[in-house]
Amino acid sequence: MPSLDIGIDLGTSTILVIDSKREKIIKEPSVVAVRKRTGEILGIGGDVYRMVGRTPDTIEVIRPLEDGVISDFRTTEVLIKHLLHRINYNQLVKPRICVCVPSGITGVESNAVINAAAAAGARKVYLIEEPVAAAIGAGVDLSKPDGNLVVDIGGGTCDIAVLSFNGIVCKTSLRVAGNKFDEAIIKYIRSNYNLLIGEKTAENIKIKLGSVYPGSEDLEGSAKGRDLVTGLPKQIMLRRSELIEPLLDVASVIIREIQSVLEKTPPELAGDIRENGIVMTGGGSMLNGLDELITRNTRARAYVAENAVESVAIGTARSFAYLDKLYDGFAHITPPAHQQEK
């Protein structure tokens, strides 16, 4: 019976599941609705995301992943099972599953991911670090002894790594990414307009108006929320130019970490990176002007991968071809006995 291999991008904001053979991608927001009194699961994914900030007191919307790691085991298992059911039509074949995880994940966090995937029905579980999966998904040839710098900016974590000759030369992972940009927008609007907005509104503002590049077109848009003085609904108009400074504060943390990784990179590989450029993946990499900002501060051309949002998921699904090739990049965790291959 043929093996079924599935890659999972277990993101803080979005979870993507992909069949490694067909490369069919199932994408859902990483949210689960639960009835508080009984713990009953009421909904999963997209339908629930539309409920964020709009539920009665009896219903709780849970994000089972925080900063790229599991914070609620039960709901993570339910979320993975739901997506596996959508992609796995032959229930007789238990799949091998590869899950991408942040570079800075701990042993306890790794085991939580393995156990959740195993409980969801995996025959065997592998973990691959996000920058390696991102590089594979972006089409970077890891077999060559050339230096490649990958910056993956997701919702909860930003992973930065220099890769060469099927291995990681140096890396770092920080819990500053897309969600921190959203928080910066919420804080700015609250401080300057006495207006409280929700996380969905902040994310939409980031996508439409957010920028860290002063030379970009100064667009205008609206924001709706609750007036903190009167307690009444209120709408304001925002310009892109006024959001640049608060977003730059977050972006500067990422820039410093990229510079720190470059400082640890051997000179020969640093020269390769100057020539090859910096590959950016993840939804956070699409913030207007971020690639120009990184280019200006590192003197290496930064560019957003062609399929930035799905690069990690695609690379995770393709990683089964690299199981015997990568010297580093897979988290070598011993799986529980019940999922050992015969």
Side-chain angles (χ1 to χ4, degrees):
M1 193 171 288
S3 174
L4 179 65
D5 295 335
I6 290 176
I8 299 180
D9 178 5
L10 208 59
T12 303
S13 302
T14 306
I15 180 170
L16 293 91
V17 177
I18 179 169
D19 184 327
S20 64
K21 290 187 174 66
R22 292 174 295 165
E23 293 206 346
K24 175 185 177 182
I25 296 179
I26 303 294
K27 182 191 302 184
E28 291 277 10
S30 302
V31 288
V32 177
V34 178
R35 193 180 300 280
K36 288 183 179 179
R37 187 171 58 86
T38 63
E40 177 189 358
I41 303 295
L42 300 177
I44 298 169
D47 293 337
V48 176
Y49 183 70
R50 289 186 283 273
M51 296 166 57
V52 173
R54 305 181 183 196
T55 58
D57 290 340
T58 56
I59 297 175
E60 181 181 11
V61 175
I62 298 174
R63 290 190 179 274
L65 297 125
E66 290 182 5
D67 299 329
V69 296
I70 293 175
S71 59
D72 189 305
F73 181 87
R74 174 173 171 261
T75 51
T76 300
E77 179 188 335
V78 168
L79 189 57
I80 294 174
K81 276 184 178 178
H82 168 72
L83 291 170
L84 288 180
H85 178 73
R86 287 185 58 187
I87 204 168
N88 182 10
Y89 298 108
N90 184 356
Q91 299 298 319
L92 296 176
V93 181
K94 284 193 172 185
R96 293 192 306 173
I97 291 180
C98 185
V99 185
C100 72
V101 293
S103 295
I105 194 169
T106 65
V108 173
E109 293 166 343
S110 295
N111 284 322
V113 174
I114 289 174
N115 290 329
R123 172 166 55 92
K124 191 170 180 66
V125 182
Y126 301 90
L127 304 183
I128 187 171
E129 296 183 24
E130 285 185 4
V132 179
I136 294 172
V140 175
D141 188 351
L142 299 181
S143 64
K144 295 181 179 179
D146 287 340
N148 293 280
L149 177 56
V150 176
V151 179
D152 178 62
I153 307 174
T157 60
C158 174
D159 288 86
I160 305 161
V162 174
L163 310 172
S164 178
F165 201 47
N166 289 333
I168 298 175
V169 178
C170 50
K171 64 184 178 182
T172 190
S173 180
L174 61 155
R175 297 184 178 184
V176 175
N179 290 348
K180 294 298 182 184
F181 287 115
D182 298 341
E183 291 173 15
I185 291 173
I186 293 173
K187 183 178 179 182
Y188 172 81
I189 293 176
R190 180 171 185 157
S191 300
N192 290 271
Y193 292 95
N194 285 321
L195 183 72
L196 182 63
I197 63 171
E199 58 184 68
K200 284 179 64 179
T201 300
E203 183 180 18
N204 289 333
I205 291 171
K206 176 184 67 177
I207 293 170
K208 295 176 181 177
L209 300 179
S211 179
V212 291
Y213 186 60
S216 58
E217 182 182 358
D218 193 12
L219 303 176
E220 188 178 45
S222 63
K224 299 176 183 178
R226 174 163 55 86
D227 191 311
L228 290 171
V229 177
T230 66
L232 300 175
K234 180 181 176 181
Q235 177 175 306
I236 62 170
M237 296 304 294
L238 288 169
R239 301 198 69 85
R240 169 176 278 178
S241 55
E242 63 183 299
L243 295 175
I244 290 177
E245 185 175 345
L247 293 178
L248 268 174
D249 290 341
V250 179
S252 63
V253 177
I254 297 174
I255 297 290
R256 285 196 295 270
E257 289 300 320
I258 294 174
Q259 292 172 331
S260 176
V261 169
L262 285 171
E263 288 171 2
K264 301 172 187 174
T265 303
E268 291 80 2
L269 296 181
D272 292 339
I273 292 168
R274 179 68 183 269
E275 182 177 339
N276 297 333
I278 300 172
V279 184
M280 299 173 61
T281 63
S285 68
M286 302 178 73
L287 180 66
N288 182 269
L290 186 55
D291 51 348
E292 289 96 337
L293 184 68
I294 293 175
T295 299
R296 190 165 68 242
N297 283 274
T298 62
R299 299 182 183 178
R301 182 179 69 89
Y303 64 95
V304 180
E306 183 177 349
N307 195 352
V309 175
E310 297 175 352
S311 288
V312 171
I314 293 171
T316 303
R318 293 177 180 174
S319 65
F320 292 96
Y322 290 82
L323 288 175
D324 300 324
K325 298 177 183 178
L326 287 175
Y327 301 124
D328 194 7
F330 283 100
H332 299 289
I333 308 296
T334 302
H338 68 270
Q339 61 156 313
Q340 295 279 358
E341 288 186 318
K342 302 297 182 183

